[in-house]
Amino acid sequence: MCRYYDQVIIGDSLEVLKGIDSNSIDLIITSPPYFQQRDYGNRNLGIGNENSENKYLENLFEIFYESVRVTKLTGTIVYNIGDKYLNGGLSLIPYKFAVRAIESKKVFLVNNITWAKLNPTPRQDKRKLIQSTEPFFIFAKTKKYQFSLENYLKHLDELNRKQGIPSKKLGRTYFELIANSELTKTEKENAEQQLNKAIQSVYKREISGFRMKIRGIHKLAYGGQAGGRNNQIINNGFTIIKINGNKLKKDIIESPVEITKDNKHPAVYPLYIIQELIKLLTEEGDIVLDPFNGSGTTCLAAKNLKRHYIGIDINPEYVNLAKNRLKHNKYEQELFI
Ligand SMILES: C[S@@+](CC[C@H](N)C(=O)[O-])C[C@H]1O[C@@H](n2cnc3c(N)ncnc32)[C@H](O)[C@@H]1O
C-alpha cells in the first residue's frame, strides 16, 4: 500500500518519487512543462526554464527515470510533450525525448498517440501551417503491460454500431468479380458460399465488415511471399478478411484544447484523453500518478474512474487548485464510461 494514496502533494517530483517504492504504480501519466514555453510562477523551482534544451532534457530525464523505477512491471508511463519553434524552426523536443527514452533501454515505446486538436491556437504567421497536434508517448517496462483495448473509446464503438446499418448492396461487387474471375467452377461456388456467410455475419452483427481477395484480380499480400492468406488465394482462389466488431482503434485521438475559464492553470490537458488512456492502461483500484500534476486533470480522471491517484506539483497554488477541483468536481465535461 503506497503512503500517498489519493493525495496531491506539494514538492519537487524528483524528491517525492524517491520516497515511493519501486514497482508500485500502475500508470504514470503526465505532461511536463514544455521547454521555455511558460512561466508557471515557479521560475527558479520547477523544470522548463533551463537555458539550454540539453539541460531541460537532462532534468526531465531525472524525473522520467524515477517515474520508470516506481512503475510496476505490468505498468505504463505516458508522457505528453509539446513542440516549440526555436529560431523559426520546430525543435522536435518531444521526439528527442522519446528517442533518448527508448535508447536508455529502460522502456520501449508501445504507441505514439497523436492528439489532434479540434480548436488549435490561431497564429498570424502566413508561412507556417497551424500546429494542431501533440504526441502522447506510451512507454512500457515489460511485455506484460496492461492494455484493455476493448475499454478504449468504447462510446465510439456504440456510436458506430448504431450508425452502421449494413447496405443491401453488401458484397454485390464481389459476386460480380467472382463470376468474371479465372477461378474454376468449384472454386467459384465455394467463394460464393463463403461470401454469403460473411454477408450474413455482418447482418447478424458478428463482424462489422470484411474484404475479399480473389486470385488473378487482387494482389497477394506483402509482395506475394508464402503465408496463410496468400496460400488461401493461391490454393482456393480467394480469401476473406473479417473485420471484427470493434472499429480499428488508431493511434490518433481528437479532442479540443481544454477551455476551462474557472481553472487558473495555463496548460491544462484534456480530461477526455486522460480518461480514455486510464481506461486503456489500468483497471479499477489501480494507482495512477502524475509527477507534474498542475490543476489535477489526471487525479480527477482517475477518481472519476475509480482508480487511486497521486499528484505531485512544485507550486502550492496549483496543488490547492487541484485539491479544489477534486473536491468540487466542477468545470468538468460529460463522462463516457
Ligand atoms: C504542463 S503543467 C501540467 C498541467 C496538467 N496536466 C493539468 O492538466 O493541469 C506542468 C506542471 O509541472 C509543475 N512542475 C514543474 N516542475 C516540477 C517539478 N520539478 N516537480 C513537480 N512539479 C513540477 C508546474 O508547476 C506545472 O504545474
Side-chain angles (χ1 to χ4, degrees), residues 67 69 78 88 98 107 112 137 147 149 157 168 192 234 248 267 270-271 279 307 312 322 324 335-336:
S67 307
R69 183 188 61 77
V78 181
V107 288
N112 168 14
F137 300 111
F147 204 76
L149 198 54
D157 282 349
K168 289 207 174 88
E192 283 166 0
I234 294 162
L248 290 181
L271 185 65
K279 285 194 267 175
R307 274 71 166 169
I312 310 164
N324 247 330
L335 259 182
F336 299 104

Side-chain angles (χ1 to χ4, degrees), residues 88-157:
L90 279 174
S91 67
L92 295 184
I93 285 195
Y95 305 97
K96 290 177 191 166
F97 165 81
V99 168
R100 270 203 212 180
I102 53 181
E103 280 177 354
S104 76
K105 302 267 194 310
K106 291 178 195 290
V107 288
F108 59 93
L109 188 59
V110 175
N111 274 120
N112 168 14
I113 298 185
T114 299
W115 163 22
K117 299 179 184 179
L118 296 173
N119 57 344
T121 316
R123 303 252 183 236
Q124 294 305 324
D125 195 333
K126 293 222 161 52
R127 313 240 325 130
K128 287 185 182 78
L129 301 177
I130 291 177
Q131 220 186 331
S132 60
T133 62
E134 273 184 32
F136 275 79
F137 300 111
I138 305 183
F139 300 101
K141 283 170 81 164
T142 74
K143 299 244 165 69
K144 291 188 288 186
Y145 63 90
Q146 287 196 61
F147 204 76
S148 309
L149 198 54
E150 65 285 3
N151 295 336
Y152 181 68
L153 295 177
K154 208 171 180 174
H155 56 282
L156 295 186
D157 282 349

Side-chain angles (χ1 to χ4, degrees), residues 243-268:
I243 300 165
N244 279 328
N246 285 345
K247 284 265 168 185
L248 290 181
K249 300 215 173 171
K250 298 186 201 161
D251 56 0
I252 179 159
I253 185 161
E254 290 189 329
S255 171
V257 177
E258 288 284 322
I259 304 171
T260 43
K261 68 179 170 49
D262 295 328
N263 186 338
K264 298 274 182 302
H265 197 284
V268 179

Side-chain angles (χ1 to χ4, degrees), residues 223-234:
Q225 292 107 329
R229 291 219 174 272
N230 286 346
N231 286 345
Q232 285 174 14
I233 300 172
I234 294 162

Side-chain angles (χ1 to χ4, degrees), residues 58-210:
E58 210 176 281
N59 289 345
L60 187 56
F61 266 96
E62 279 196 300
I63 296 175
F64 179 73
Y65 290 145
E66 274 305 297
S67 307
V68 174
R69 183 188 61 77
V70 300
T71 302
K72 287 184 187 168
L73 299 180
T74 50
T76 38
I77 303 117
V78 181
Y79 267 57
N80 155 240
I81 307 182
D83 212 338
K84 183 182 170 63
Y85 279 96
L86 290 172
N87 307 320
L90 279 174
S91 67
L92 295 184
I93 285 195
Y95 305 97
K96 290 177 191 166
F97 165 81
V99 168
R100 270 203 212 180
I102 53 181
E103 280 177 354
S104 76
K105 302 267 194 310
K106 291 178 195 290
V107 288
F108 59 93
L109 188 59
V110 175
N111 274 120
N112 168 14
I113 298 185
T114 299
W115 163 22
K117 299 179 184 179
L118 296 173
N119 57 344
T121 316
R123 303 252 183 236
Q124 294 305 324
D125 195 333
K126 293 222 161 52
R127 313 240 325 130
K128 287 185 182 78
L129 301 177
I130 291 177
Q131 220 186 331
S132 60
T133 62
E134 273 184 32
F136 275 79
F137 300 111
I138 305 183
F139 300 101
K141 283 170 81 164
T142 74
K143 299 244 165 69
K144 291 188 288 186
Y145 63 90
Q146 287 196 61
F147 204 76
S148 309
L149 198 54
E150 65 285 3
N151 295 336
Y152 181 68
L153 295 177
K154 208 171 180 174
H155 56 282
L156 295 186
D157 282 349
E158 260 127 53
L159 216 69
N160 285 330
R161 254 196 292 279
K162 278 185 207 143
Q163 288 170 352
I165 297 160
S167 144
K168 289 207 174 88
K169 293 183 191 161
L170 189 67
R172 190 181 286 176
T173 316
Y174 287 127
F175 282 115
E176 285 167 16
L177 289 175
I178 294 168
N180 297 320
S181 72
E182 60 167 45
L183 304 199
T184 64
K185 187 165 172 281
T186 325
E187 283 173 339
K188 282 185 182 173
E189 279 167 11
N190 192 17
E192 283 166 0
Q193 204 181 33
Q194 294 306 317
L195 176 55
N196 268 323
K197 270 197 188 163
I199 293 169
Q200 289 314 311
S201 296
V202 176
Y203 286 132
K204 286 191 220 150
R205 307 278 165 139
E206 292 163 351
I207 55 173
S208 64
F210 63 86

